[in-house]
Amino acid sequence: MYDVLGFQLKQLESILLKNNIEFYSSTIQGDQLEFTHIIKIEMVEDESEAVTITKGKKHRRGKVSSVVPSKPYTVNLVSKLASERLNELYNKIFNVIRNKRIMSEILEINETDDDDLLFQAFVKKYGDLWLTTKEREKELFNKLISKTTEVLEKYKEE
């Protein structure tokens, strides 16, 4: 399947090149594989700067091609990985806090004993933690630590 989809992608790229259409990224995704004779092509114009200058040198963008044999499978897999990672993070935090009232306040929601609501609030607020840049991860963890410290200080005084 990779070979067939890869061949189709190369054919499309050669047509684009013949017609002087510049591109730096091309992807082919298998979607609704149970249907045959359907080809869906999507082209998106990128108006960003094509040449970057760093340290006085001009750099052109590299070209990236990717083959995703089954989009539904890939989306499902990514969703599963995200869910597992967020569950792991949430459980680590909850095992330290162990108080749903405090956890509700940390997550800035109305007090609840509902584990699902607490988890959904965590995902809404810190869902980027499952796959992010180091800078964004640090930003989110600092926000979480700051809010947790603030709430725990409040309860410590009571």
Side-chain angles (χ1 to χ4, degrees), residues 1 5 28-33 40 42 67-78:
M1 190 175 303
L5 291 173
I28 190 164
Q29 299 173 343
D31 195 2
Q32 299 179 348
L33 297 176
K40 181 169 54 175
E42 178 181 1
V67 175
V68 180
S70 174
K71 183 179 176 183
Y73 171 79
T74 304
V75 168
N76 209 12
L77 180 62
V78 168

Side-chain angles (χ1 to χ4, degrees), residues 116-139:
D116 286 337
L117 286 177
L118 288 168
F119 180 70
Q120 292 305 318
F122 175 77
V123 169
K124 185 176 180 183
K125 210 161 195 59
Y126 301 103
D128 285 350
L129 285 172
W130 88 272
L131 181 65
T132 188
T133 63
K134 287 285 183 198
E135 294 81 25
R136 179 73 173 137
E137 180 180 291
K138 185 176 180 181
E139 176 188 329

Side-chain angles (χ1 to χ4, degrees), residues 25-37:
S25 176
S26 59
T27 302
I28 190 164
Q29 299 173 343
D31 195 2
Q32 299 179 348
L33 297 176
E34 64 275 8
F35 300 109
T36 58
H37 309 295

Side-chain angles (χ1 to χ4, degrees), residues 5-86:
L5 291 173
F7 175 78
Q8 290 174 336
L9 183 60
K10 292 296 176 204
Q11 294 293 79
L12 177 60
E13 289 173 353
S14 70
I15 292 168
L16 293 174
L17 290 171
K18 277 185 202 173
N19 289 287
N20 295 319
I21 299 172
E22 288 188 41
F23 64 95
Y24 64 91
S25 176
S26 59
T27 302
I28 190 164
Q29 299 173 343
D31 195 2
Q32 299 179 348
L33 297 176
E34 64 275 8
F35 300 109
T36 58
H37 309 295
I38 296 175
I39 298 174
K40 181 169 54 175
I41 298 173
E42 178 181 1
M43 297 176 79
V44 180
E45 183 178 5
D46 181 3
E47 297 177 0
S48 65
E49 188 67 33
V51 177
T52 58
I53 300 174
T54 48
K55 297 182 183 179
K57 294 182 180 180
K58 288 185 178 181
H59 299 279
R60 296 192 61 73
R61 283 190 192 144
K63 289 190 178 181
V64 177
S65 296
S66 58
V67 175
V68 180
S70 174
K71 183 179 176 183
Y73 171 79
T74 304
V75 168
N76 209 12
L77 180 62
V78 168
S79 178
K80 180 181 173 208
L81 292 172
S83 179
E84 287 173 0
R85 176 70 175 136
L86 290 171

